[in-house]
Amino acid sequence: MGTRQEDMATSDPQKTPYQVLARKYRPGSFESLIGQDAMVRTLSNAFKSGRIHHAFILTGVRGVGKTTTARILARAFNYADETGPHPTLDLQKEGLHCAEIISGTHVDVMEMDAASNTGIDSIREINAMTRTPPMSAPYKVFIIDEVHMLSTSAFNGLLKTLEEPPPYVKFIFATTEIRKVPVTILSRCQRFDLRRITPEVMTGYLTGLLEKEGVPFEPEALAMMVRAGEGSARDCLSLVDQAIAHGDGRITAEAVRMMLGLADRAQTIDLFENVMRGDVAAALDGLRNLYDSGADPSTIIADLAEFTHLVTRIKIVPSAADDPVLTPDEKTRGADLANRLGLRILTRTWQILSGGLNEIAQSGNGLQAAEMVLIRLIYAADLPSPDELIEKLTGQPQETAAAPSAPAPTGGGFSARATAPMPRPQPQNEPRAQAAQPMPQSYTELVALAGEKRDILLKHALESDMKPVSFEAGRIEVALTPTANPSIVSVLSARLKDWTGRPWLVTVSTKEIDTPTLREVREADQRNARDEALEDPMVKAVMETFPGARLVNIKTREAAPENEALEDPEAIEGLETEDDE
């Protein structure tokens, strides 16, 4: 009677233990493993050619499938069907040993957690087991997880067996800290780096999984979980499990936001715009609303920094707005803000927000610290421009060079009109009409020509590794520095022929030349200019006005290009204060 009751309890679905999604959908073959195409391709070629190594080490961040891959590899080694044993990666049909290997119960596939078996005794047991052949499978497979946790003596005890194992033994190691594994171990293994799963792949995977489970979801909620999972399949599946329970069978953006303690992305963008607009009251009210809704102050500032990074990326690479994990607000409003804000404003915002995270972590009151960060960020836009600073110190109005840049902002960072987009370099694989290039008449013009052609390596060599001895049309004599690559001479000759359409003879002087290189001359000039600037009365006055300021750059008005002069009036060119750091 008791046995029948136990059977009824076992068959009752209410008594069946729930299996989490990470285990329920754990891949059992390489076909179902996502995001690791490069590794699968390499292993497929190895199995086809019969070049199967005896030791493998798998590394990557948490949750990308290291242990799962190890079990699939063990299944591939020991695959056997009615025709007999034969290693293969084609695991669509379940073999004789597959079920037990995937479940971790096969007698010839031993899994060991190195975090709890760090000593030499555990390795001695493995060495002893390698002396006996497998009981039923073709190979004995030892899977050691978190192998970097082994002690030095344990690693040393494994070396000999790992180098010359019996033909029926395979080793598979997994670790999240590959740098802690001795080189002597790495040199005996084939290494595979498992990559973070991209947002596109993860989004598609979770979408299909939720459709199988019959769970309705909002795309924005899915994007938040993908972002929080940081490329880890296990983390994302755990978040999905939690979100299903939190939302009572339905995944909504509001539920996920509350579950993760995140700020509303739309409210975060509103807060960012209020800060950039210089509206202190609206910014502090927005911060308080996010805080009252459950968002942590450090999370709010971190979200602002993340959105600042997104706007900067979109400004530099407009296609970044097409990222599938972005919300519609982030795509549209982020692109609009990228057009309206300058790079200097964005980089300064990032610096202040990043420094504010440390202040919040060390503060006893996170909300107060976050408010002070926003206030500092808003009032940073009121720093005087270089012309305003000079005018204030000298009492004489300064003339500004005409430039197509935006006028000084009235507050926060928004300009009265949008800043012009930065020119993007033309890809080298696009055809361009080749204009006739004038013949360089001096070594300085030659360096300028290399810069115009964007040959950075050659330009660096001309400035740092070569000293001009003589120069005339079609013929150059140079002296090389001790660190110069001799092959740069032939490279220079070939480049000149391509650029000018005529052959050039480039020879190396055998004489000892004491003259400095162009870089050495420029560095000496910079040192002299810095020394002179530090003695200038106006610079001394600036240093006294701004305690803690340092002179980091010197640019004269005559040397600055016309379209670059005072391009961003809200930044102080050449001065760096302790707050900026």
Side-chain angles (χ1 to χ4, degrees):
M1 184 68 179
T3 303
R4 183 173 179 179
Q5 289 178 348
E6 292 175 1
D7 292 341
M8 292 176 62
T10 303
S11 61
D12 187 355
Q14 299 296 329
K15 300 296 184 180
T16 303
Y18 173 70
Q19 191 175 31
V20 298
L21 296 177
R23 294 187 60 188
K24 181 178 180 180
Y25 290 95
R26 191 169 195 169
S29 64
F30 285 111
E31 287 79 6
S32 56
L33 189 68
I34 63 172
Q36 310 300 337
D37 297 338
M39 179 192 68
V40 174
R41 189 182 308 111
T42 303
L43 289 174
S44 299
N45 294 335
F47 271 73
K48 288 179 182 178
S49 61
R51 297 178 176 272
I52 306 175
H53 208 271
H54 64 267
F56 300 83
I57 186 164
L58 310 174
T59 179
V61 298
R62 69 196 185 282
V64 293
K66 298 184 295 297
T67 305
T68 297
T69 301
R71 290 181 179 178
I72 297 175
L73 266 178
R75 180 186 173 190
F77 294 147
N78 289 321
Y79 186 83
D81 53 15
E82 60 275 3
T83 63
H86 52 91
T88 180
L89 291 187
D90 185 8
L91 304 174
Q92 295 182 355
K93 179 182 177 182
E94 188 175 283
L96 301 178
H97 309 284
C98 291
E100 293 181 353
I101 292 175
I102 292 299
S103 63
T105 59
H106 198 283
V107 66
D108 290 324
V109 179
M110 280 71 70
E111 293 190 28
M112 186 186 85
D113 178 20
S116 55
N117 298 275
T118 61
I120 185 63
D121 292 338
S122 300
I123 300 302
R124 288 195 181 110
E125 293 180 8
I126 292 178
N127 290 338
M129 286 188 286
T130 60
R131 299 189 184 101
T132 58
M135 298 182 64
S136 60
Y139 293 97
K140 257 189 177 180
V141 182
F142 296 92
I143 300 175
I144 303 181
D145 200 8
E146 300 301 336
V147 68
H148 67 274
M149 299 292 289
L150 290 178
S151 64
T152 302
S153 58
F155 276 125
N156 292 336
L158 187 61
L159 286 177
K160 187 61 178 177
T161 303
L162 187 61
E163 183 173 7
E164 298 178 357
Y168 49 79
V169 170
K170 301 288 185 184
F171 287 98
I172 306 176
F173 303 138
T175 178
T176 55
E177 300 286 348
I178 191 66
R179 295 182 179 180
K180 294 183 179 179
V181 179
V183 178
T184 51
I185 296 292
L186 295 177
S187 64
R188 291 166 167 81
C189 303
Q190 277 192 356
R191 171 177 169 177
F192 291 96
D193 291 76
L194 276 68
R195 303 177 181 273
R196 294 180 186 269
I197 303 174
T198 61
E200 296 85 355
V201 174
M202 184 66 72
T203 301
Y205 174 69
L206 295 181
T207 299
L209 183 147
L210 290 172
E211 290 175 352
K212 291 180 183 178
E213 292 289 317
V215 177
F217 64 94
E218 295 179 0
E220 184 179 353
L222 197 62
M224 284 189 286
M225 290 187 291
V226 170
R227 184 186 289 113
E230 296 181 339
S232 168
R234 184 175 60 232
D235 287 9
C236 287
L237 291 175
S238 298
L239 291 174
V240 170
D241 253 329
Q242 186 179 353
I244 294 174
H246 191 83
D248 194 19
R250 176 182 176 85
I251 301 179
T252 63
E254 183 63 27
V256 172
R257 190 177 297 114
M258 295 180 61
M259 179 185 77
L260 299 177
L262 298 176
D264 187 348
R265 304 300 289 182
Q267 294 185 40
T268 299
I269 300 175
D270 291 340
L271 176 59
F272 182 86
E273 288 184 336
N274 289 330
V275 170
M276 293 294 101
R277 193 177 294 110
D279 192 339
V280 181
L284 295 183
D285 287 343
L287 175 64
R288 173 65 69 171
N289 292 336
L290 290 172
Y291 177 78
D292 292 340
S293 65
D296 186 74
S298 61
T299 302
I300 298 172
I301 299 301
D303 286 348
L304 285 174
E306 180 183 352
F307 185 70
T308 303
H309 172 260
L310 172 63
V311 174
T312 307
R313 284 193 63 200
I314 295 176
K315 186 172 186 65
I316 302 299
V317 185
S319 60
D322 300 330
D323 194 328
V325 302
L326 298 180
T327 64
D329 273 343
E330 288 176 322
K331 292 180 179 180
T332 57
R333 299 173 70 181
D336 177 63
L337 288 166
N339 290 329
R340 299 164 63 190
L341 294 173
L343 278 177
R344 293 189 181 181
I345 296 173
L346 292 171
T347 54
R348 182 171 58 208
T349 301
W350 167 266
Q351 291 172 351
I352 295 176
L353 291 173
S354 298
L357 288 174
N358 296 329
E359 296 177 8
I360 295 173
Q362 299 172 3
S363 173
N365 190 315
L367 179 60
Q368 291 180 359
E371 288 180 345
M372 295 304 297
V373 171
L374 293 187
I375 292 172
R376 183 191 313 136
L377 181 57
I378 291 171
Y379 281 94
D382 292 331
L383 288 174
S385 68
D387 276 355
E388 293 171 344
L389 179 60
I390 295 174
E391 181 178 349
K392 184 179 295 185
L393 292 173
T394 62
Q396 298 178 358
Q398 301 293 312
E399 296 181 0
T400 58
S405 59
T410 57
F414 281 136
S415 300
R417 56 188 175 90
T419 57
M422 294 181 62
R424 300 178 61 190
Q426 183 179 6
Q428 295 184 1
N429 58 353
E430 293 184 5
R432 294 189 300 176
Q434 295 291 336
Q437 181 64 47
M439 188 75 64
Q441 301 299 321
S442 65
Y443 192 83
T444 304
E445 292 184 7
L446 173 60
V447 175
L449 176 60
E452 292 175 5
K453 296 297 184 179
R454 297 184 179 179
D455 196 326
I456 305 302
L457 294 179
L458 180 58
K459 184 175 183 293
H460 174 78
L462 290 169
E463 293 178 333
S464 304
D465 298 334
M466 296 184 184
K467 302 177 183 179
V469 177
S470 65
F471 190 99
E472 60 183 71
R475 179 181 177 85
I476 306 174
E477 184 179 2
V478 296
L480 299 180
T481 63
T483 59
N485 187 347
S487 63
I488 195 64
V489 175
S490 59
V491 173
L492 174 59
S493 179
R495 293 288 191 278
L496 282 172
K497 183 177 180 180
D498 293 339
W499 295 340
T500 64
R502 57 167 293 182
W504 283 70
L505 177 62
V506 182
T507 59
V508 178
S509 175
T510 58
K511 303 176 183 178
E512 294 185 2
I513 306 299
D514 296 332
T515 57
T517 62
L518 294 184
R519 181 175 294 275
E520 292 171 345
V521 172
R522 183 168 61 249
E523 291 175 350
D525 292 342
Q526 290 174 350
R527 288 192 297 269
N528 294 334
R530 178 182 178 83
D531 294 339
E532 293 178 2
L534 290 174
E535 296 300 325
D536 188 273
M538 187 177 299
V539 175
K540 289 183 178 180
V542 172
M543 295 295 189
E544 294 174 358
T545 305
F546 296 92
R550 295 184 294 113
L551 183 64
V552 296
N553 187 24
I554 301 170
K555 184 183 294 184
T556 62
R557 188 178 300 275
E558 293 79 7
E562 183 179 358
N563 61 351
E564 185 181 337
L566 302 178
E567 179 182 357
D568 193 355
E570 63 264 23
I572 298 179
E573 180 68 35
L575 287 179
E576 182 177 278
T577 65
E578 291 178 350
D579 288 339
D580 292 331
E581 295 175 350

